[in-house]
Amino acid sequence: MNIVVLVKYIPNPEGTPEMGPDHRLKREGVEGALDPGDEHSVEAALQLAGSDGEVTLVTMGPEAAVGALRRGLSMGGHKGVHVLDDSLKGADVLVTARVLAAVVKRQAGFDLVLAGVESTDGYTGTLPMAVAELLDLPNVTFARKVEVADGTLKVERQTEAGYDEVECPLPAVVTVTAGANEPRYPTLKGIMQAKQKPMDTLSVSDLGLSAEDVKATQEVMGLEPVAAKEAGEVIEDPEEAPGRVVEFLTKAKVI
Amino acid sequence: MPGIWVYAEVSSDGKIEAGALENLTKARELGSEVSAVALGPGSSQAAAQAGEFGAATLFASDDSIYTDFIAQPAAFALHELVKEHQPELILFSPTYDSRDVAGRLQARTGSTLMSNATDILGPDYAQTQILGGSQIVDVTLFGPDPKLLIVRPKSFEAQPAEGGAAATVVPVEVSVPDDCKKAKRVQRHEQAAAGPKMEEAKVVISGGRGLQDPANFKLLEEMASAIPGAAVGASRAVVDAGWVPYAMQIGQTGKTVSPEVYIAVGISGATQHLVGMKSSKRIIAINKDKDAPIFQYADLGIVGDALQILPRITEAINARKG
Ligand SMILES: Cc1cc2nc3c(=O)[nH]c(=O)nc-3n(C[C@H](O)[C@H](O)[C@H](O)COP(=O)(O)OP(=O)(O)OC[C@H]3O[C@@H](n4cnc5c(N)ncnc54)[C@H](O)[C@@H]3O)c2cc1C
Ligand SMILES: Nc1ncnc2c1ncn2[C@@H]1O[C@H](COP(=O)(O)O)[C@@H](O)[C@H]1O
């Protein structure tokens, strides 16, 4: 199976994101990584592709986004595509979807597109469905288990009260939850090999998109801190705790 | 002024999902003509409730293709309705199915979609909160109508309108092409949850990785059974680890709760957890690390080992009840 995985680069997965003066998350010049959520879709792709399949990783982002591709390649992905273009700075969901859909279309003979449920820093959680619509493909989101049997996709899709079994013909767009698998760590060999793997860098015009196609439809007008809550009382003596909690709950009229 | 629409998920017995009622309440306040759209079995039975919360019109279809197949038929039909009636703004809740429909619709209409909206100031002006709710961001939306917003649960309080008569049902008669019928639900598996619904509970007691072992969740259950109307929740770390089911997850990708009292036990207070519980009326945190971020949000913080402290709190609550 040939699988395309949409992977997002995020500046600082462990730390607190920082805001730039333009009211956007700082993405430039920060050591970046693969969004931890997307590691699960890369893992799912590697498992599904099998020995004769190919896993293509696609990202749109600044220079440093190549770090996300490298991570995925060192896990075992076969090739990377990086869309890098100044005009995409501050792209919204729809613009990002148009760009990523255009890249996917160029991957001849793909069977499946995988993505994360939501990104760690943007968390719109809607990009993969927009890509699916642009490609006129079905989408199955929140997959906690993905299998392919006889050319049919079988997914356990997480729901409010449990899960649904969903069946769908290929190709399709699927988003993978963190519960689906345990992503592998790249081996040293994997990291070395990743450096040799093919990597394409494309611009907006390479993709045949116009300036109009990548014009944002949202603008951040302002940013203001929410008034911090007054610090409460902290009790460090465990002997005191039970009494104080009972008093607190009584005052709140819940016991 | 063209209308504001609320995309409403409806259960097969005709009840509108809570987030859609919150959105109807807000739509009414925004002052323009309000309609609801409901697709799937039970939809046309929702007319009374849609009207009660302020919708003058309910576009409805009871056809099961909208629930048998994921997102595509609903996005197609909604797009047809949009072309015909040209609403200015559509509000969605972030339920699994609505989110999919909104995501696809934006690509069909080429209009802007904003997720995680926490307030709506006008048809093209909304707010969201980022960095764990510590910053409010004002966003203007432009480009073609309708603007699309996915609203965070509990951003608005659902309130019936004064004298809201039943909405006029306008049947949706769209013929959905076969190539929209691809991702098929073949079987549903639902676990009935014990105890009160987390979103409605007066007290929510949540456990995180600090509980050390799945078996220790019973300490929370024992405490919950000592407090009337208390429910047990969890952080994502323990849901991902498979300790407890996803239905118990609180936070950005889980439920949003705002009970009278929220008790966070062995939870560090990551931003993605905070957005799901920060609006609780009162917060108690129990954590062995006195620098844990959760303490910055707690009205009462207890520093110590939860495994030791929990049984003694439960005992004290039971003793008080006598
Ligand atoms: C896209 C995305 C979405 C996310 N969505 C969610 C979400 O919806 N909900 C959510 O909760 N998280 C979410 N997260 C994860 C979040 O970032 C945190 O990783 C998670 O909330 C941490 O869970 P925790 O507090 O249980 O664990 P930890 O962060 O490991 O904290 C454990 C805490 O327990 C304390 N502790 C340890 N032992 C004891 C003891 N004996 N007694 C008392 N305290 C003890 C420690 O001091 C520590 O503070 C999301 C992350 C991403 C990237
Ligand atoms: N710039 C991007 N490049 C590649 N994939 C992306 C990008 N942004 C989002 N995605 C994919 O879409 C998923 C959901 O992202 P989001 O809509 O930001 O919550 C992510 O987990 C990725 O798989």
Side-chain angles (χ1 to χ4, degrees):
Chain A
M1 270 227 297
N2 293 335
I3 302 176
V4 181
V5 191
L6 308 178
V7 294
K8 190 172 183 187
Y9 141 85
I10 53 167
N12 185 1
E14 302 303 330
T16 316
E18 271 188 75
M19 304 302 289
D22 58 351
H23 305 316
R24 288 184 187 136
L25 289 174
K26 268 196 193 161
R27 290 176 195 280
E28 253 81 359
V30 197
E31 177 67 22
L34 174 59
D35 190 321
D38 292 344
E39 287 184 17
H40 297 277
S41 19
V42 174
E43 178 62 40
L46 294 172
Q47 291 180 18
L48 287 167
S51 51
D52 55 349
E54 191 175 61
V55 174
T56 305
L57 307 166
V58 178
T59 196
M60 180 196 106
E63 220 62 79
V66 87
L69 294 178
R70 284 225 198 289
R71 170 84 185 194
L73 293 176
S74 55
M75 287 171 73
H78 299 88
K79 56 182 186 152
V81 181
H82 182 186
V83 183
L84 174 67
D85 197 311
D86 273 347
S87 70
L88 294 171
K89 234 174 160 179
D92 54 29
V93 193
L94 187 52
V95 167
T96 310
R98 284 184 183 132
V99 167
L100 295 174
V103 178
V104 174
K105 250 187 221 154
R106 291 163 52 106
Q107 312 303 313
F110 71 92
D111 301 294
L112 183 62
V113 179
L114 295 182
V117 166
E118 59 179 21
S119 63
T120 298
D121 58 358
Y123 57 96
T124 78
T126 54
L127 180 118
M129 300 78 130
V131 170
E133 182 65 50
L134 291 170
L135 295 170
D136 204 12
L137 296 179
N139 68 267
V140 187
T141 48
F142 282 93
R144 54 173 227 183
K145 191 170 171 199
V146 190
E147 287 171 346
V148 174
D150 306 324
T152 299
L153 187 68
K154 291 186 197 282
V155 174
E156 284 184 14
R157 178 180 189 240
Q158 193 171 284
T159 60
E160 196 58 35
Y163 69 96
D164 287 348
E165 284 174 45
V166 177
E167 287 184 7
C168 182
L170 294 173
V173 177
V174 174
T175 72
V176 179
T177 67
N181 55 41
E182 200 52 60
R184 68 194 68 185
Y185 277 105
T187 58
L188 194 58
K189 192 169 151 223
I191 294 169
M192 297 311 290
Q193 283 173 342
K195 296 189 174 130
Q196 315 301 325
K197 290 179 177 169
M199 183 94 81
D200 237 355
T201 306
L202 301 173
S203 67
V204 166
S205 60
D206 290 337
L207 291 168
L209 295 173
S210 68
E212 190 60 28
D213 291 329
V214 298
K215 213 169 81 190
T217 52
Q218 292 178 14
E219 189 179 350
V220 175
M221 305 305 287
L223 192 71
E224 73 191 84
V226 177
K229 194 167 149 175
E230 233 170 89
E233 193 182 357
V234 176
I235 298 172
E236 300 203 34
D237 175 6
E239 299 302 318
E240 231 187 286
R244 297 302 302 277
V245 172
V246 168
E247 190 188 317
F248 187 95
L249 296 176
T250 310
K251 257 202 205 144
K253 300 197 176 74
V254 294
I255 55 173
Chain B
M1 181 147 106
I4 299 182
W5 287 9
V6 172
Y7 184 76
E9 239 169 81
V10 171
S11 61
S12 52
D13 57 355
K15 287 212 184 63
I16 300 178
E17 173 267 325
L21 297 180
E22 294 163 13
N23 286 344
L24 281 168
T25 308
K26 184 65 187 184
R28 217 162 74 207
E29 189 191 299
L30 289 167
S32 117
E33 187 170 320
V34 178
S35 305
V37 182
L39 301 171
S43 291
S44 49
Q45 287 174 54
Q49 201 186 13
E52 190 189 344
F53 285 84
T57 307
L58 173 67
F59 296 99
S61 166
D62 293 339
D63 194 330
S64 67
I65 56 162
Y66 297 112
T67 44
D68 288 346
F69 295 94
I70 293 176
Q72 279 179 295
F76 181 91
L78 189 52
H79 186 209
E80 293 300 302
L81 292 173
V82 162
K83 284 191 278 188
E84 191 181 340
H85 303 280
Q86 302 184 348
E88 186 174 23
L89 175 67
I90 310 182
L91 308 181
F92 296 84
S93 320
T95 63
Y96 294 90
D97 289 340
S98 301
R99 197 154 90 146
D100 280 6
V101 174
R104 295 192 76 102
L105 184 67
Q106 71 163 336
R108 294 190 77 93
T109 57
S111 52
T112 196
L113 167 63
M114 183 176 133
S115 295
N116 298 302
T118 51
D119 204 357
I120 308 162
L121 308 174
D124 44 20
Y125 192 24
Q127 287 186 331
T128 182
Q129 294 182 6
I130 58 164
L131 308 183
S134 63
Q135 303 273 328
I136 298 178
V137 185
D138 292 334
V139 182
T140 45
L141 309 165
F142 38 94
D145 279 348
K147 310 296 187 291
L148 310 174
L149 292 177
I150 304 180
V151 182
R152 274 204 70 83
K154 308 259 163 138
S155 294
F156 315 114
E157 198 181 329
Q159 299 227 338
E162 255 166 62
T168 310
V169 177
V170 176
V172 175
E173 279 150 359
V174 170
S175 109
V176 175
D178 279 348
D179 62 333
C180 286
K181 299 173 194 164
K182 286 184 186 145
K184 187 176 189 350
R185 275 191 182 91
V186 290
Q187 179 100 46
R188 289 174 194 264
H189 299 261
E190 303 199 340
Q191 305 158 301
K197 268 187 88 174
M198 216 158 48
E199 297 95 313
E200 286 154 21
K202 275 169 58 185
V203 176
V204 176
I205 310 169
S206 287
R209 194 136 54 184
L211 284 174
Q212 319 279 341
D213 188 278
N216 293 328
F217 255 80
K218 79 168 190 306
L219 300 176
L220 302 186
E221 281 149 24
E222 283 161 10
M223 184 164 166
S225 56
I227 304 172
V232 176
S235 74
R236 170 157 143 189
V238 302
V239 171
D240 282 352
W243 293 11
V244 295
Y246 172 76
M248 285 168 71
Q249 181 173 319
I250 290 171
Q252 183 181 302
T253 21
K255 302 223 158 83
T256 302
V257 297
S258 51
E260 294 292 319
V261 181
Y262 186 85
I263 310 179
V265 185
I267 290 178
S268 59
T271 54
Q272 297 94 348
H273 187 78
L274 293 170
V275 297
M277 45 63 76
K278 234 178 54 122
S279 59
S280 304
K281 298 229 170 50
R282 301 173 188 80
I283 296 169
I284 302 180
I286 306 176
N287 197 300
K288 72 169 186 198
D289 172 9
K290 73 174 185 354
D291 296 322
I294 190 78
F295 284 132
Q296 289 165 27
Y297 299 86
D299 302 289
L300 178 63
I302 292 161
V303 182
D305 182 352
L307 306 183
Q308 309 273 325
I309 294 172
L310 282 176
R312 293 169 50 199
I313 296 176
T314 306
E315 205 178 296
I317 296 170
N318 283 326
R320 178 194 172 270
K321 290 197 292 192

